[in-house]
Amino acid sequence: MTQDEIIEMARQVIDIDTDKRGRHTFVCDEYGLEAFAKLVAQHEREACAKVCDEVLANDWEGKLICAAAIRARGQA
């Protein structure tokens, strides 16, 4: 995950203050922090599931089981 991706996810759920120099301060409460953490976890789960898809490309059943197990972690 790149720094730009992380910042974009933060902007989706956290308020941003910008000073006169154009520097950003991210301001959030516990709900914003939780929402940000969920976005990051969702992004990482999907990235891991895609690795399963690629690594197990020739093992259709293994690929489905692996990717589904990772994606299901978001439902827990």
Side-chain angles (χ1 to χ4, degrees):
M1 181 177 340
T2 67
Q3 181 177 359
D4 290 339
E5 290 172 323
I6 294 168
I7 291 171
E8 178 54 37
M9 283 186 273
R11 288 179 189 211
Q12 291 176 25
V13 295
I14 298 175
D15 294 329
I16 302 172
D17 289 336
T18 305
D19 67 14
K20 293 177 183 177
R21 294 182 177 177
R23 297 178 296 193
H24 304 294
T25 301
F26 292 86
V27 181
C28 70
D29 58 12
E30 62 191 70
Y31 301 105
L33 184 60
E34 183 180 355
F36 175 65
K38 286 180 179 180
L39 279 176
V40 171
Q42 178 184 4
H43 180 89
E44 283 300 300
R45 278 192 305 274
E46 187 57 30
C48 291
K50 287 181 180 179
V51 169
C52 285
D53 289 342
E54 293 169 10
V55 171
L56 299 171
N58 295 327
D59 179 1
W60 183 252
E61 185 177 353
K63 175 171 71 170
L64 292 177
I65 292 169
C66 179
I70 291 169
R71 289 182 178 114
R73 291 182 53 85
Q75 308 302 316

